[in-house]
Amino acid sequence: MPSPVDVSQNGNARHAEAAPSLFEIEEDLARLLERPRHVNIERKRSFDERSFSEMSMTHSPPRQVYKNSENSSRVFDNMVGVYSPGRWSGIHTPRSTFGYEPHPIIGEAWEALRRSIVNFRDQPVGTIAAIDNSAEELNYDQVFVRDFVPSALAFLMNGEPDIVKNFLLKTLRLQSREKKIDQFKLGDGVMPASFKVSHDPVRNYETITADFGESAIGRVAPVDSGFWWIILLRAYTKSTGDTSLAEMPECQRGIRLILELCLSEGFDTFPTLLCADGCSMIDRRMGVYGYPIEIQALFFMALRCALFLLKHDEENRVCCDAIIKRLHALSFHMRSYYWLDIKQLNDIYRYKTEEYSHTAVNKFNVMPDSLPEWVFDFMPTRGGYFIGNVSPAHMDFRWFCLGNCISILSSLATPEQASAIMDLVESRWQELVGEMPLKISYPAMEGHEWRIVTGCDPKNTSWSYHNGGTWPVLLWLLTAAAIKTGRPQIARRAIELAESRLLKDSWPEYYDGKLGRFIGKQARKFQTWSIAGYLVARMMLEDPSHLGMIALEEDKQMKPTMKRSASWTC
């Protein structure tokens, strides 16, 4: 177990181990938080705004125009360097940038979000997972890295960056701790899944205890936490224009440590990351072990964000070169082998097996008989998506929402593929959205398959929780993807569905049923990321310039590896 940090009344931190250099003096952090965050936005062009093939230690003039595959202007045009704090009409209630009448539940949502804020030494450092006094707390009273992301985006969009800065610094400090599970030491770069702030009124001190997987259900370390931390650091930098946080030596080192875990050489012949079940948002056994789409998309996005954040100096040159090479290989692999549309489905249906040599078409020796029957009806004539997993003799054809939305936001998906994903969402609205946005996965496993794959998990029964359940937090990801692809009407339709029920249902964690009609059987009420996900979606829809902090522009030099299919030209 990691050693807690003891803080006495006078604010002095006591550590059992030696602390990193900057963190020895807490007052330095306080001074950092007081530094001006408004800087000249017309700064040097960032890594993520440049082609991978252009990368060097010099800079080029900024690029101003971004077009989609139909050559029409997109909302994302000219947003790469936008500083867009929220606008306020009162003390606690943000107002719309463009004069929209705020929905009645927005004020309630903000009040609920603020009740979830956690303080450490009188400074806000995050939001707890849920405030549901009717159920056992378990670990819902902790600050989760992945859960805090939509909360952080809401605060950034509302012009409140301090809580995000505090969170980034606090989790960075936790990264530096020694991490052990059953005598086995985890890599230095592993970020915590969550942390808990405890206060002892008798001894009058506070402690922070981090969980790196040693207390988690299944005892799996979170692969996605480090990626979300990098993505959030870029969002903070883009939103505020403050580069001083990312340029701190400790932050630069933290980024490198995360990437060293992912970019190290090994036995893999694939550029994708090999992962265990339960290492991401789907944190229980669901048959996503191997190379799940969620982790690969987050990995790709984190690599691109890291290029933006890492300083252009000799210390980072080797790391940046490794990132660029991996991005090329990863984009080729994902766009070639994970993409599925009607043409690709028909090609797999006609695969030959037992092919040998580099000329093989069926490179992973996938058996055509393994194609599930549902996928033939699910795949529309116009549309496509990135499937859940690809490995030897295995393709997981399930739809996973987070991975596909992140693929759009990170530009892992080409403009044509991004458009096809949104075509699929519109074509299969009842299946993927139904009466409440949005299915985390589709379809659900049932019967014998559910027993074998989940280990008879009673929480992941058919159309519940991770197994085809509906998660309102995904609304912000769908909204961002819809705006980036020029389809705001999709986001508006989904948000209206959510607004009809979320407040009335007390902001549940998830919904059950094929249409998302029922509040989840074990769902927590007042789930913080359900609240924050709605607020972020609403604020992005009303002010699309917010998209710039979470979306990445397409790299023009990365040519698509797949030919246009009927789903892109119909």
Side-chain angles (χ1 to χ4, degrees):
M1 292 291 291
S3 302
V5 180
D6 293 350
V7 180
S8 60
Q9 186 175 13
N10 62 11
N12 294 322
R14 298 192 299 271
H15 300 277
E17 74 280 2
S21 59
L22 184 95
F23 296 125
E24 289 182 325
I25 304 176
E26 290 285 344
E27 286 72 19
D28 284 355
L29 297 183
R31 285 198 293 272
L32 279 171
L33 294 175
E34 294 171 359
R35 293 175 63 178
R37 62 182 177 86
H38 296 283
V39 300
N40 181 14
I41 307 302
E42 296 299 325
R43 60 187 180 85
K44 59 192 178 185
R45 187 179 177 192
S46 63
F47 264 130
D48 69 323
E49 297 163 63
R50 304 174 62 188
S51 159
F52 301 147
S53 61
E54 292 179 292
M55 292 300 177
S56 66
M57 305 309 286
T58 59
H59 304 288
S60 305
R63 187 165 48 198
Q64 295 295 328
V65 180
Y66 181 60
K67 305 290 183 180
N68 68 4
S69 57
E70 288 80 23
N71 293 321
S72 59
S73 296
R74 295 224 308 236
V75 180
F76 194 47
D77 293 358
N78 305 321
M79 291 180 191
V80 177
V82 169
Y83 167 65
S84 54
R87 280 75 171 175
W88 288 69
S89 58
I91 296 177
H92 294 298
T93 307
R95 63 180 171 85
S96 168
T97 304
F98 301 113
Y100 294 109
E101 284 296 322
H103 194 278
I105 76 170
I106 292 177
E108 298 276 359
W110 273 106
E111 288 183 14
L113 180 60
R114 294 189 190 285
R115 286 198 301 271
S116 71
I117 293 176
V118 174
N119 289 291
F120 180 69
R121 294 191 63 209
D122 298 323
Q123 289 186 337
V125 293
T127 53
I128 62 173
I131 305 178
D132 185 356
N133 297 324
S134 65
E136 184 183 358
E137 282 185 341
L138 293 177
N139 57 355
Y140 284 78
D141 62 344
Q142 298 188 25
V143 180
F144 281 81
V145 173
R146 73 173 69 97
D147 289 42
F148 181 67
V149 171
S151 296
L153 294 177
F155 288 124
L156 289 174
M157 292 177 185
N158 209 43
E160 303 177 67
D162 285 352
I163 185 174
V164 182
K165 190 170 191 175
N166 294 342
F167 170 85
L168 290 166
L169 288 170
K170 192 57 61 180
T171 47
L172 179 64
R173 182 170 188 175
L174 294 172
Q175 182 198 38
S176 67
R177 301 234 184 121
E178 185 181 48
K179 300 169 276 284
K180 281 188 177 181
I181 298 180
D182 292 336
Q183 307 303 314
F184 180 72
K185 184 179 181 298
L186 277 65
D188 290 337
V190 174
M191 281 287 186
S194 63
F195 64 85
K196 182 175 181 178
V197 176
S198 302
H199 178 71
D200 185 340
V202 177
R203 298 174 60 188
N204 196 23
Y205 70 84
E206 291 178 315
T207 60
I208 285 187
T209 303
D211 177 16
F212 294 93
E214 69 270 30
S215 300
I217 296 173
R219 301 299 190 266
V220 178
V223 176
D224 62 338
S225 288
F227 298 152
W228 280 123
W229 187 87
I230 294 174
I231 292 167
L232 185 56
L233 179 57
R234 177 193 175 272
Y236 170 86
T237 304
K238 281 289 185 181
S239 175
T240 63
D242 175 16
T243 62
S244 63
L245 177 62
E247 291 175 354
M248 287 169 48
E250 288 73 17
C251 280
Q252 295 283 298
R253 179 178 180 271
I255 295 171
R256 288 195 303 270
L257 286 175
I258 294 170
L259 297 183
E260 284 173 6
L261 287 176
C262 308
L263 299 174
S264 59
E265 297 177 350
F267 288 98
D268 256 327
T269 57
F270 311 143
T272 41
L273 282 182
L274 182 62
C275 304
D277 247 337
C279 67
S280 61
M281 179 181 175
I282 299 177
D283 58 3
R284 299 169 78 92
R285 181 176 165 187
M286 271 285 291
V288 297
Y289 58 89
Y291 307 90
I293 178 62
E294 177 177 335
I295 290 298
Q296 313 315 319
L298 286 171
F299 180 33
F300 182 88
M301 190 168 192
L303 288 175
R304 293 201 64 194
C305 290
L307 284 179
F308 166 74
L309 296 166
L310 288 172
K311 295 170 68 175
H312 305 190
D313 55 24
E314 288 299 323
E315 187 176 14
N316 291 327
R317 181 185 289 275
V318 173
C319 185
C320 289
D321 288 345
I323 291 172
I324 295 165
K325 291 177 182 177
R326 191 62 164 263
L327 282 169
H328 275 290
L330 186 59
S331 62
F332 175 89
H333 185 91
M334 298 298 295
R335 293 171 181 176
S336 299
Y337 305 126
Y338 277 68
W339 181 252
L340 188 72
D341 57 18
I342 191 69
K343 178 184 180 300
Q344 183 67 7
L345 180 60
N346 197 73
D347 289 345
I348 297 171
Y349 179 71
R350 291 168 50 84
Y351 266 169
K352 296 179 181 179
T353 60
E354 308 303 327
E355 294 181 299
Y356 180 75
S357 88
H358 64 277
T359 60
V361 175
N362 185 0
K363 296 182 183 296
F364 300 99
N365 201 37
V366 173
M367 306 299 162
D369 288 345
S370 68
L371 281 164
E373 292 183 6
W374 64 264
V375 76
F376 295 98
D377 294 328
F378 180 71
M379 180 60 69
T381 302
R382 180 186 179 92
Y385 64 103
F386 289 101
I387 64 174
N389 219 320
V390 175
S391 58
H394 172 66
M395 298 180 82
D396 184 347
F397 292 93
R398 284 177 293 177
W399 152 273
F400 290 94
C401 179
L402 193 151
N404 275 273
C405 288
I406 292 292
S407 295
I408 293 175
L409 296 179
S410 65
S411 289
L412 171 59
T414 65
E416 293 86 356
Q417 288 172 334
S419 181
I421 292 170
M422 302 312 294
D423 285 340
L424 178 84
V425 171
E426 287 192 298
S427 298
R428 298 292 176 255
W429 188 265
Q430 281 295 98
E431 293 91 337
L432 301 179
V433 181
E435 296 185 14
M436 172 60 68
L438 190 66
K439 289 293 180 195
I440 187 173
S441 63
Y442 182 89
M445 294 178 290
E446 300 176 293
H448 182 67
E449 183 186 20
W450 164 78
R451 287 191 290 272
I452 295 298
V453 175
T454 74
C456 300
D457 187 348
K459 196 167 185 175
N460 272 333
T461 54
S462 299
W463 308 108
S464 179
Y465 205 51
H466 300 133
N467 189 17
T470 294
W471 292 72
V473 64
L474 298 171
L475 183 63
W476 80 266
L477 286 158
L478 177 67
T479 299
I483 294 172
K484 188 172 189 286
T485 54
R487 312 266 190 105
Q489 71 278 5
I490 295 178
R492 188 174 296 109
R493 184 181 175 189
I495 289 172
E496 288 173 357
L497 277 175
E499 287 175 335
S500 68
R501 292 188 58 188
L502 279 178
L503 178 61
K504 180 176 62 176
D505 294 340
S506 301
W507 308 99
E509 178 184 13
Y510 65 95
Y511 287 80
D512 286 350
K514 289 186 177 181
L515 298 178
R517 181 174 294 175
F518 307 102
I519 297 174
K521 57 189 175 184
Q522 295 188 40
R524 294 302 196 278
K525 301 290 186 71
F526 293 98
Q527 184 79 14
T528 303
W529 69 353
S530 296
I531 299 165
Y534 162 71
L535 288 171
V536 171
R538 169 57 73 175
M539 285 190 283
M540 275 196 294
L541 187 63
E542 294 181 354
D543 183 357
S545 70
H546 289 313
L547 184 67
M549 72 174 71
I550 198 63
L552 299 171
E553 187 180 355
E554 179 197 8
D555 186 281
K556 301 293 185 175
Q557 299 300 317
M558 295 192 67
K559 298 179 180 179
T561 61
M562 298 184 66
K563 296 180 180 179
R564 289 176 178 267
S565 70
S567 67
W568 297 337
T569 57
C570 289

